[in-house]
Amino acid sequence: MNRLLPQVPILALSGALAVLWAAPAPAQQHTVLQAENVRFDYAQVLRVTPVYQTLRATTVEQQCDPEDKTDSRFQRVLGSVREALGRERDPKPSTGENCRPVPVEREFRRPIAYDVDYVYKGARFRSRLPEDPGNKLKVRVAVTPVVSPISTSR
């Protein structure tokens, strides 16, 4: 065996390690914060204003001009008589000779969000929400104490 190291029983050595393991660490100050206190309640909705997105779409449609007729007094009288007799009640459909493609722009508005004014415990708030909440709005109420830093100088 080795003469330089004294013979120490293994049980004594493991007991010493257990004492060192259980010894307290050097004292340090830690601030412990409690978990947030949260509850839910309802606020009274005062006003809901939709926020719109405006979309523009352009389509091409056929626009036809009426056929060019020479409109004499005789033709007007003849047309009135035919109409009175029950002939030609519907105007003649266009033959397509006087038609041309024309771009037509249309605008569409759709709500994308809602600005909601509401009151909770006498205080007024405004939030932008994805849906109209109706007359009542469920709110999350959280209370957390303000902890001031610990002063190290005395």
Side-chain angles (χ1 to χ4, degrees), residues 121-152:
K121 302 270 185 189
R124 294 178 67 131
F125 300 93
R126 173 177 278 186
S127 295
R128 183 163 283 183
L129 302 175
E131 295 177 359
D132 185 341
N135 295 330
K136 290 193 294 183
L137 176 64
K138 190 173 186 178
V139 291
R140 179 179 181 266
V141 181
V143 178
T144 306
V146 176
V147 180
S148 59
I150 299 173
S151 176
T152 55

Short mmCIF file of all heavy atoms in Angstrom, two decimals, residues 121-152:
data_model
loop_
_atom_site.label_atom_id
_atom_site.label_comp_id
_atom_site.label_asym_id
_atom_site.label_seq_id
_atom_site.Cartn_x
_atom_site.Cartn_y
_atom_site.Cartn_z
N LYS A 121 -64.70 49.64 -13.54
CA LYS A 121 -64.52 50.25 -12.21
C LYS A 121 -64.32 51.77 -12.33
O LYS A 121 -63.46 52.35 -11.68
CB LYS A 121 -63.32 49.63 -11.49
CG LYS A 121 -63.41 48.15 -11.28
CD LYS A 121 -64.06 47.82 -10.00
CE LYS A 121 -64.00 46.31 -9.81
NZ LYS A 121 -64.77 45.84 -8.73
N GLY A 122 -65.10 52.41 -13.20
CA GLY A 122 -65.06 53.86 -13.34
C GLY A 122 -63.97 54.39 -14.26
O GLY A 122 -63.94 55.58 -14.55
N ALA A 123 -63.09 53.54 -14.72
CA ALA A 123 -62.01 53.98 -15.62
C ALA A 123 -62.36 53.59 -17.06
O ALA A 123 -62.84 52.49 -17.30
CB ALA A 123 -60.68 53.35 -15.22
N ARG A 124 -62.10 54.52 -18.00
CA ARG A 124 -62.41 54.27 -19.41
C ARG A 124 -61.18 53.71 -20.12
O ARG A 124 -60.05 54.16 -19.88
CB ARG A 124 -62.86 55.55 -20.09
CG ARG A 124 -64.18 56.06 -19.56
CD ARG A 124 -64.56 57.34 -20.23
NE ARG A 124 -64.85 57.06 -21.63
CZ ARG A 124 -65.93 57.48 -22.26
NH1 ARG A 124 -66.80 58.23 -21.63
NH2 ARG A 124 -66.13 57.19 -23.52
N PHE A 125 -61.43 52.78 -21.03
CA PHE A 125 -60.36 52.15 -21.80
C PHE A 125 -60.79 52.04 -23.26
O PHE A 125 -61.97 52.09 -23.56
CB PHE A 125 -60.05 50.74 -21.26
CG PHE A 125 -59.60 50.71 -19.83
CD1 PHE A 125 -60.52 50.53 -18.81
CD2 PHE A 125 -58.26 50.87 -19.51
CE1 PHE A 125 -60.11 50.51 -17.48
CE2 PHE A 125 -57.84 50.85 -18.19
CZ PHE A 125 -58.77 50.67 -17.18
N ARG A 126 -59.80 51.87 -24.15
CA ARG A 126 -60.06 51.60 -25.57
C ARG A 126 -59.11 50.51 -26.01
O ARG A 126 -57.91 50.56 -25.72
CB ARG A 126 -59.85 52.84 -26.41
CG ARG A 126 -59.94 52.53 -27.92
CD ARG A 126 -59.81 53.73 -28.77
NE ARG A 126 -61.14 54.35 -28.80
CZ ARG A 126 -61.44 55.38 -29.55
NH1 ARG A 126 -60.54 55.94 -30.29
NH2 ARG A 126 -62.66 55.87 -29.53
N SER A 127 -59.67 49.54 -26.73
CA SER A 127 -58.85 48.45 -27.27
C SER A 127 -59.32 48.15 -28.68
O SER A 127 -60.49 48.33 -29.01
CB SER A 127 -59.00 47.18 -26.42
OG SER A 127 -58.49 47.38 -25.13
N ARG A 128 -58.40 47.66 -29.52
CA ARG A 128 -58.76 47.20 -30.86
C ARG A 128 -58.86 45.68 -30.79
O ARG A 128 -57.91 45.00 -30.44
CB ARG A 128 -57.71 47.61 -31.88
CG ARG A 128 -58.08 47.21 -33.29
CD ARG A 128 -57.29 47.93 -34.33
NE ARG A 128 -57.84 49.28 -34.47
CZ ARG A 128 -57.39 50.15 -35.36
NH1 ARG A 128 -56.41 49.83 -36.17
NH2 ARG A 128 -57.93 51.35 -35.44
N LEU A 129 -60.06 45.18 -31.12
CA LEU A 129 -60.35 43.76 -31.00
C LEU A 129 -60.69 43.16 -32.35
O LEU A 129 -61.18 43.86 -33.24
CB LEU A 129 -61.53 43.54 -30.04
CG LEU A 129 -61.35 44.10 -28.63
CD1 LEU A 129 -62.63 43.93 -27.83
CD2 LEU A 129 -60.20 43.42 -27.92
N PRO A 130 -60.48 41.85 -32.53
CA PRO A 130 -60.79 41.22 -33.82
C PRO A 130 -62.28 41.00 -34.05
O PRO A 130 -62.70 40.80 -35.18
CB PRO A 130 -60.05 39.88 -33.74
CG PRO A 130 -59.91 39.60 -32.29
CD PRO A 130 -59.80 40.94 -31.62
N GLU A 131 -63.09 41.02 -32.98
CA GLU A 131 -64.53 40.79 -33.12
C GLU A 131 -65.31 41.80 -32.29
O GLU A 131 -64.79 42.34 -31.31
CB GLU A 131 -64.89 39.38 -32.63
CG GLU A 131 -64.27 38.28 -33.48
CD GLU A 131 -64.58 36.91 -32.93
OE1 GLU A 131 -65.25 36.80 -31.89
OE2 GLU A 131 -64.14 35.93 -33.56
N ASP A 132 -66.56 42.02 -32.66
CA ASP A 132 -67.46 42.90 -31.90
C ASP A 132 -67.83 42.17 -30.61
O ASP A 132 -68.40 41.08 -30.65
CB ASP A 132 -68.70 43.19 -32.74
CG ASP A 132 -69.63 44.19 -32.08
OD1 ASP A 132 -69.53 44.41 -30.85
OD2 ASP A 132 -70.48 44.75 -32.79
N PRO A 133 -67.52 42.75 -29.43
CA PRO A 133 -67.76 42.03 -28.17
C PRO A 133 -69.21 42.05 -27.70
O PRO A 133 -69.57 41.30 -26.79
CB PRO A 133 -66.87 42.77 -27.17
CG PRO A 133 -66.82 44.15 -27.69
CD PRO A 133 -66.85 44.02 -29.19
N GLY A 134 -70.03 42.92 -28.24
CA GLY A 134 -71.41 43.03 -27.75
C GLY A 134 -71.48 44.06 -26.62
O GLY A 134 -70.73 45.03 -26.60
N ASN A 135 -72.39 43.86 -25.66
CA ASN A 135 -72.60 44.83 -24.57
C ASN A 135 -71.61 44.69 -23.43
O ASN A 135 -71.36 45.64 -22.70
CB ASN A 135 -74.01 44.68 -24.01
CG ASN A 135 -75.05 45.06 -25.03
OD1 ASN A 135 -74.81 45.89 -25.88
ND2 ASN A 135 -76.21 44.43 -24.95
N LYS A 136 -71.06 43.48 -23.22
CA LYS A 136 -70.11 43.26 -22.14
C LYS A 136 -68.82 42.71 -22.72
O LYS A 136 -68.83 41.99 -23.71
CB LYS A 136 -70.66 42.25 -21.12
CG LYS A 136 -71.80 42.78 -20.30
CD LYS A 136 -72.12 41.90 -19.11
CE LYS A 136 -72.63 40.56 -19.53
NZ LYS A 136 -73.00 39.72 -18.39
N LEU A 137 -67.71 43.05 -22.08
CA LEU A 137 -66.39 42.60 -22.51
C LEU A 137 -65.70 41.91 -21.35
O LEU A 137 -65.55 42.51 -20.27
CB LEU A 137 -65.57 43.80 -23.00
CG LEU A 137 -64.13 43.52 -23.41
CD1 LEU A 137 -64.09 42.61 -24.63
CD2 LEU A 137 -63.42 44.83 -23.72
N LYS A 138 -65.28 40.68 -21.55
CA LYS A 138 -64.54 39.96 -20.51
C LYS A 138 -63.13 40.54 -20.44
O LYS A 138 -62.45 40.66 -21.46
CB LYS A 138 -64.48 38.47 -20.82
CG LYS A 138 -63.96 37.63 -19.69
CD LYS A 138 -64.10 36.15 -20.00
CE LYS A 138 -63.70 35.32 -18.81
NZ LYS A 138 -63.86 33.89 -19.09
N VAL A 139 -62.71 40.93 -19.22
CA VAL A 139 -61.38 41.53 -19.03
C VAL A 139 -60.59 40.70 -18.04
O VAL A 139 -61.14 40.06 -17.15
CB VAL A 139 -61.47 43.00 -18.55
CG1 VAL A 139 -62.03 43.89 -19.64
CG2 VAL A 139 -62.27 43.13 -17.28
N ARG A 140 -59.27 40.74 -18.20
CA ARG A 140 -58.34 40.06 -17.29
C ARG A 140 -57.81 41.11 -16.34
O ARG A 140 -57.25 42.11 -16.76
CB ARG A 140 -57.20 39.45 -18.10
CG ARG A 140 -56.16 38.75 -17.31
CD ARG A 140 -55.11 38.19 -18.28
NE ARG A 140 -54.09 37.48 -17.60
CZ ARG A 140 -52.94 38.00 -17.19
NH1 ARG A 140 -52.68 39.26 -17.44
NH2 ARG A 140 -52.05 37.28 -16.55
N VAL A 141 -57.99 40.88 -15.04
CA VAL A 141 -57.56 41.83 -14.02
C VAL A 141 -56.39 41.19 -13.28
O VAL A 141 -56.53 40.10 -12.71
CB VAL A 141 -58.72 42.15 -13.04
CG1 VAL A 141 -58.25 43.15 -12.00
CG2 VAL A 141 -59.93 42.67 -13.79
N ALA A 142 -55.25 41.87 -13.29
CA ALA A 142 -54.05 41.36 -12.63
C ALA A 142 -53.53 42.41 -11.65
O ALA A 142 -53.45 43.59 -11.99
CB ALA A 142 -52.97 41.02 -13.66
N VAL A 143 -53.17 41.97 -10.44
CA VAL A 143 -52.63 42.86 -9.42
C VAL A 143 -51.28 42.31 -8.99
O VAL A 143 -51.17 41.16 -8.59
CB VAL A 143 -53.57 42.96 -8.21
CG1 VAL A 143 -52.97 43.86 -7.15
CG2 VAL A 143 -54.93 43.46 -8.63
N THR A 144 -50.25 43.16 -9.12
CA THR A 144 -48.91 42.78 -8.71
C THR A 144 -48.32 43.91 -7.88
O THR A 144 -48.36 45.07 -8.31
CB THR A 144 -48.02 42.55 -9.95
OG1 THR A 144 -48.66 41.60 -10.80
CG2 THR A 144 -46.66 42.03 -9.57
N PRO A 145 -47.82 43.60 -6.69
CA PRO A 145 -47.23 44.67 -5.87
C PRO A 145 -45.94 45.20 -6.49
O PRO A 145 -45.23 44.48 -7.17
CB PRO A 145 -46.94 43.99 -4.53
CG PRO A 145 -46.88 42.54 -4.85
CD PRO A 145 -47.75 42.30 -6.04
N VAL A 146 -45.68 46.48 -6.25
CA VAL A 146 -44.45 47.09 -6.69
C VAL A 146 -43.42 46.89 -5.58
O VAL A 146 -43.64 47.28 -4.44
CB VAL A 146 -44.64 48.60 -6.97
CG1 VAL A 146 -43.33 49.25 -7.34
CG2 VAL A 146 -45.68 48.79 -8.05
N VAL A 147 -42.31 46.26 -5.93
CA VAL A 147 -41.27 45.96 -4.94
C VAL A 147 -40.11 46.90 -5.19
O VAL A 147 -39.55 46.93 -6.28
CB VAL A 147 -40.80 44.49 -5.07
CG1 VAL A 147 -39.72 44.19 -4.05
CG2 VAL A 147 -41.98 43.55 -4.89
N SER A 148 -39.78 47.69 -4.15
CA SER A 148 -38.66 48.60 -4.29
C SER A 148 -37.35 47.84 -4.03
O SER A 148 -37.34 46.88 -3.26
CB SER A 148 -38.80 49.78 -3.33
OG SER A 148 -38.85 49.30 -2.01
N PRO A 149 -36.27 48.26 -4.67
CA PRO A 149 -35.00 47.56 -4.46
C PRO A 149 -34.54 47.71 -3.01
O PRO A 149 -34.77 48.72 -2.36
CB PRO A 149 -34.03 48.23 -5.43
CG PRO A 149 -34.70 49.47 -5.88
CD PRO A 149 -36.16 49.35 -5.59
N ILE A 150 -33.84 46.69 -2.50
CA ILE A 150 -33.33 46.69 -1.13
C ILE A 150 -32.10 47.58 -1.07
O ILE A 150 -31.17 47.46 -1.88
CB ILE A 150 -32.98 45.27 -0.66
CG1 ILE A 150 -34.24 44.42 -0.70
CG2 ILE A 150 -32.37 45.28 0.71
CD1 ILE A 150 -33.98 42.95 -0.42
N SER A 151 -32.09 48.49 -0.12
CA SER A 151 -30.97 49.41 0.02
C SER A 151 -29.83 48.71 0.74
O SER A 151 -30.00 48.10 1.79
CB SER A 151 -31.42 50.64 0.83
OG SER A 151 -30.34 51.48 1.06
N THR A 152 -28.59 48.82 0.21
CA THR A 152 -27.43 48.15 0.82
C THR A 152 -26.69 49.09 1.77
O THR A 152 -25.94 48.63 2.61
CB THR A 152 -26.46 47.66 -0.28
OG1 THR A 152 -26.12 48.77 -1.09
CG2 THR A 152 -27.10 46.56 -1.08
#
